[in-house]
Amino acid sequence: MNTFSTGSIVNAGDLPDKPAPIRTDGPIAWLRDNLFSSRTNTILTLVALAIVLYAVPPALNWLVVKANWSGGAEACRANPGAACWPFITARWEQFLYGFYPQAERWRVNIVLYVLLGGIFLLAFEKMPLRKWVGLLMLIPFPIVSYFMLYGGVFGLPVVETSRWGGFMLTLVIALSGIVASLPLGIVLALGRRSTMPIMRLVCTLFIEFWRGIPLVAVLFMASVMFPLFLPPDVTFDQLLRAVIGVALFASAYMAEVVRGGLQAIPKGQYEGAMALGLPYWKMMRLIVLPQALKIVIPGIVNTFIGLFKDTTLVLIIGLLDLLGIVQSSINDPNWSIQSVPYTGYVFVALVFWVCCYAMALYSRHIEEKLHTGHKR
Amino acid sequence: MSEVASTSGAPSLAVSDEVVIRIADMDKWYGQFHVLKSIDLEVRRGERIVICGPSGSGKSTLIRCINRLEEHQSGSINVDGIELTDDLKNIDAIRREVGMVFQHFNLFPHLTVLENCTLAPIWVKKMPKNEAEEVAMKYLERVRIPEQASKFPGQLSGGQQQRVAIARSLCMNPKIMLFDEPTSALDPEMIKEVLDVMIELAREGMTMICVTHEMGFAKTVANRVIFMDAGQIIEQNEPGAFFDNPQSERTQLFLSQILAH
């Protein structure tokens, strides 16, 4: 404690900078801070290191070093103790297109290239006309894609959706689900917070209905029960039913994620907007939703990733997505080799992981970009 | 309280005879709680009214009723000839005429200062973007922060944010400005910069209703001070008489409490 006995105390002049007593930058400091900062941390670091040393080399051996990279089934049969990549290379077209007729696969390619090109262009924030590219990708692209893939116009032969399969089917279901579930989820979330009791009741019931049943049950209902309610001569495409089921299911989850964001917006933001004379929808679109959605980007992407992976469940209603088609290829007697099922599943896991991780990275990037003001 | 250079006595600013806000026998309840009790208030064009009173006395609720941030249950409110009813058209029309500045600024953190100011003119008044930006810059200059136009609110100090909030309101060219404790959330050294802007606004003839505890401000610019307690208007007078010779006991008690230190 200071005791001021006489007069005032004045600190004249600036104190000089002193060097830090221990190194606070560079790799050594990093190691010390992050890996060996305490006794517990040191033990954990060593245990983790042991696990890595135990698990990684055999995995690399199986996947890369000792793996079969070329030759056919014979090479794999001769060396069954490692991955059999020729199985993938021999079948990759089927994994990508399913049973889409060979002569028509260029249609799938065009759609895929436009999709990838669009995503690539949209990744550049400074690109001119970016808004228009986004709008084109969001509205006309899915419609044109549908006609490209299904055919029946401009002399394109019809390819029934029962012949669609593989990764292409995974993308169709996942992207339709993603594109439909976000706007629907936003509307449901706004409805659930509406001041109109009927609107609130309808939205709440809808959300709780779809959240309360398993996706497998939704898909079964869509494929088996739904046709029972239709007149016998009306057919309703099996894939479309599955897509609608997945989209409604995902939108219920999305609604709750968005509602979380809406609840985080302070009342003052609504009042500020109302006092300026902004009507409800403009206030929502310009003030509330941009902030609410920004807060829940991690949750939204989480739902997207969940949806992307859940598409594998369409397997149970007889649609062969990437996982389904790999699984059925494994049973091919020509490839009845011990390592083939493992290789197939590892391949599927890799493809899904790359897609999901890309989404995660992109969301992190958007979060950083949208950050304004000071971090707390 | 901050020091606002004050020579006592109401400044000689023109107040017209035209009534712009007419509140008659207005009551409001929160559930069973009677927050505003038969309020009668007429505000003429060019008037600067300061409302004070203990917390919970209903002063914020009263001015928030004027632009329908709060709903009144009986009586009538008429703003510039428009009757405030459940009709959304009337509510929107009144909100276009009435600007409001809040205790916590309520700026939009995802938009820049300039975008905060141009948003309502563009989307409510359908003003072209470059015209809206010109107007916004004019008002940002008036509140003396044009150089912050491209920053986000989170990067500004409290006093700067409140000045932006004032500029944002002015961009809609309101006939009436409501201030809801505009300096209560500010650090002492920032109160003056906000009050200075408000004083300037008063000198230009803006009709203002301010809920504030800044008695120096009340003495300098107000032409009427209203004291509220327990949901009622207890006393109103021109500032000189109000401060020097309060009539009601409650007013005397309140003034002695806030002017004691």
Side-chain angles (χ1 to χ4, degrees):
Chain A
M1 284 290 281
N2 281 325
T3 47
F4 299 103
S5 51
T6 49
S8 65
I9 295 173
V10 177
N11 196 356
D14 293 327
L15 293 172
D17 292 340
K18 288 183 201 158
I22 49 166
R23 292 201 56 173
T24 52
D25 58 354
I28 308 251
W30 184 89
L31 279 178
R32 195 182 48 233
D33 287 349
N34 293 288
L35 299 178
F36 303 102
S37 59
S38 68
R39 192 176 299 173
T40 328
N41 215 340
T42 308
I43 293 170
L44 286 176
T45 301
L46 294 176
V47 170
L49 197 65
I51 293 173
V52 167
L53 287 176
Y54 176 77
V56 170
L60 276 180
N61 264 341
W62 191 85
L63 285 169
V64 183
V65 181
K66 292 191 180 150
N68 302 293
W69 288 96
S70 54
E74 295 72 33
C76 291
R77 206 162 272 131
N79 175 22
C84 175
W85 298 119
F87 169 67
I88 308 294
T89 41
R91 294 296 190 101
W92 78 269
E93 284 205 340
Q94 202 183 17
F95 292 169
L96 184 56
Y97 303 104
F99 304 103
Y100 210 86
Q102 210 127 31
E104 304 295 329
R105 284 180 183 172
W106 59 271
R107 284 153 55 176
V108 182
N109 290 343
I110 289 180
V111 171
L112 205 58
Y113 288 142
V114 174
L115 175 70
L116 289 176
I119 291 174
F120 179 77
L121 284 179
L122 288 175
F124 294 99
E125 272 101 43
K126 298 269 155 61
M127 195 193 63
L129 302 177
R130 183 161 182 269
K131 221 182 239 175
W132 291 105
V133 174
L135 212 59
L136 281 175
M137 293 301 292
L138 209 59
I139 297 166
F141 173 72
I143 298 165
V144 174
S145 299
Y146 171 76
F147 285 111
M148 274 299 278
L149 296 177
Y150 186 74
V153 286
F154 305 123
L156 293 172
V158 170
V159 181
E160 292 295 338
T161 54
S162 56
R163 308 191 66 176
W164 301 15
F167 190 58
M168 160 198 167
L169 187 72
T170 298
L171 279 183
V172 166
I173 299 172
L175 291 178
S176 323
I178 285 172
V179 169
S181 69
L182 185 58
L184 202 54
I186 291 173
V187 171
L188 284 170
L190 290 177
R192 195 169 179 171
R193 284 172 57 83
S194 161
T195 50
M196 292 177 268
I198 304 263
M199 177 72 96
R200 204 162 53 221
L201 182 71
V202 169
C203 291
T204 308
L205 284 178
F206 183 94
I207 292 169
E208 297 305 346
F209 173 79
W210 289 101
R211 275 207 311 176
I213 41 178
L215 181 56
V216 174
V218 173
L219 291 171
F220 269 134
M221 281 196 288
S223 97
V224 183
M225 283 174 63
F226 186 68
L228 297 179
F229 300 111
L230 291 174
D233 51 337
V234 175
T235 55
F236 204 66
D237 189 81
Q238 162 104 340
L239 175 61
L240 186 59
R241 275 181 273 150
V243 164
I244 292 174
V246 168
L248 293 181
F249 184 80
S251 67
Y253 280 87
M254 192 61 76
E256 288 299 280
V257 170
V258 173
R259 193 165 68 95
L262 289 174
Q263 270 168 350
I265 303 302
K267 207 168 150 236
Q269 291 292 306
Y270 291 88
E271 291 179 349
M274 285 192 284
L276 285 170
L278 287 171
Y280 178 84
W281 283 107
K282 279 180 187 161
M283 169 174 81
M284 284 300 168
R285 183 158 64 90
L286 299 166
I287 307 299
V288 178
L289 281 175
Q291 295 183 61
L293 294 180
K294 188 182 111 182
I295 296 172
V296 292
I297 288 172
I300 291 175
V301 175
N302 203 22
T303 309
F304 283 167
I305 288 177
L307 167 68
F308 190 79
K309 294 190 295 187
D310 281 352
T311 56
T312 51
L313 288 175
V314 298
L315 185 70
I316 59 150
I317 56 166
L319 295 173
L320 291 179
D321 74 318
L322 179 63
L323 178 62
I325 211 139
V326 168
Q327 200 160 22
S328 58
S329 303
I330 286 166
N331 297 327
D332 182 346
N334 294 329
W335 289 94
S336 69
I337 302 160
Q338 196 196 349
S339 62
V340 161
Y342 302 123
T343 311
Y345 291 132
V346 165
F347 169 72
V348 173
L350 268 177
V351 171
F352 272 96
W353 183 79
V354 166
C355 293
C356 294
Y357 191 60
M359 283 193 257
L361 281 182
Y362 189 60
S363 89
R364 207 183 303 166
H365 166 75
I366 291 182
E367 272 176 65
E368 276 164 20
K369 196 188 81 179
L370 292 180
H371 183 79
T372 61
H374 295 298
K375 279 203 170 114
R376 297 246 169 111
Chain B
M1 248 196 308
S2 78
E3 285 301 311
V4 176
S6 92
T7 49
S8 76
S12 55
L13 287 171
V15 173
S16 82
D17 288 338
E18 181 196 357
V19 174
V20 281
I21 300 176
R22 179 174 281 123
I23 300 174
D25 198 21
M26 187 261 278
D27 285 83
K28 172 167 179 63
W29 289 264
Y30 284 129
Q32 285 303 308
F33 180 56
H34 200 168
V35 265
L36 292 176
K37 298 177 181 167
S38 51
I39 302 285
D40 284 296
L41 179 66
E42 285 193 353
V43 182
R44 283 165 299 151
R45 190 177 302 291
E47 269 202 289
R48 289 96 39 211
I49 294 177
V50 162
I51 304 179
C52 60
S55 70
S57 58
K59 44 195 197 309
S60 286
T61 310
L62 170 58
I63 66 166
R64 289 157 60 87
C65 281
I66 295 172
N67 66 349
R68 223 353 129 86
L69 291 185
E70 303 282 354
E71 196 178 338
H72 62 283
Q73 276 90 31
S74 74
S76 73
I77 299 177
N78 188 301
V79 181
D80 205 28
I82 308 162
E83 190 67 30
L84 186 55
T85 59
D86 285 334
D87 191 344
L88 285 176
K89 252 186 211 144
N90 287 6
I91 295 174
D92 284 343
I94 287 176
R95 284 178 179 163
R96 274 196 294 269
E97 310 266 293
V98 180
M100 188 166 203
V101 174
F102 299 86
Q103 180 177 2
H104 296 287
F105 330 134
N106 297 353
L107 293 176
F108 307 129
H110 62 302
L111 301 175
T112 63
V113 165
L114 186 65
E115 287 164 343
N116 262 281
C117 294
T118 56
L119 183 103
I122 291 173
W123 291 96
V124 179
K125 283 190 159 179
K126 317 277 176 218
M127 197 185 276
K129 190 173 173 224
N130 46 4
E131 193 187 328
E133 282 177 354
E134 246 169 65
V135 172
M137 285 314 291
K138 187 180 94 189
Y139 285 113
L140 286 174
E141 262 157 46
R142 248 173 66 184
V143 300
R144 292 185 280 280
I145 34 174
E147 71 282 358
Q148 313 283 11
S150 57
K151 286 198 184 161
F152 287 97
Q155 297 166 312
L156 305 185
S157 74
Q160 290 172 322
Q161 291 194 44
Q162 194 59 297
R163 284 184 283 150
V164 171
I166 295 173
R168 178 178 75 175
S169 270
L170 293 177
C171 285
M172 286 297 280
N173 198 17
K175 293 183 179 151
I176 301 153
M177 284 287 283
L178 307 174
F179 292 85
D180 187 3
E181 306 206 23
T183 55
S184 301
L186 296 177
D187 290 336
E189 74 270 25
M190 293 169 183
I191 293 179
K192 185 176 181 298
E193 63 189 51
V194 171
L195 289 181
D196 283 347
V197 168
M198 289 168 62
I199 292 169
E200 241 180 77
L201 203 57
R203 299 240 154 92
E204 285 158 22
M206 176 65 79
T207 311
M208 296 165 69
I209 304 180
C210 312
V211 172
T212 182
H213 297 295
E214 296 296 332
M215 292 303 136
F217 173 79
K219 287 174 187 165
T220 320
V221 297
N223 65 317
R224 185 158 34 136
V225 181
I226 292 177
F227 173 70
M228 283 183 74
D229 192 15
Q232 306 172 56
I233 295 180
I234 302 288
E235 184 166 348
Q236 45 181 322
N237 211 335
E238 53 98 14
F242 180 86
F243 289 109
D244 296 341
N245 188 18
Q247 300 297 309
S248 127
E249 234 171 80
R250 283 198 258 186
T251 317
Q252 288 161 9
L253 180 67
F254 176 75
L255 286 177
S256 72
Q257 277 165 346
I258 63 160
L259 298 174
H261 51 92

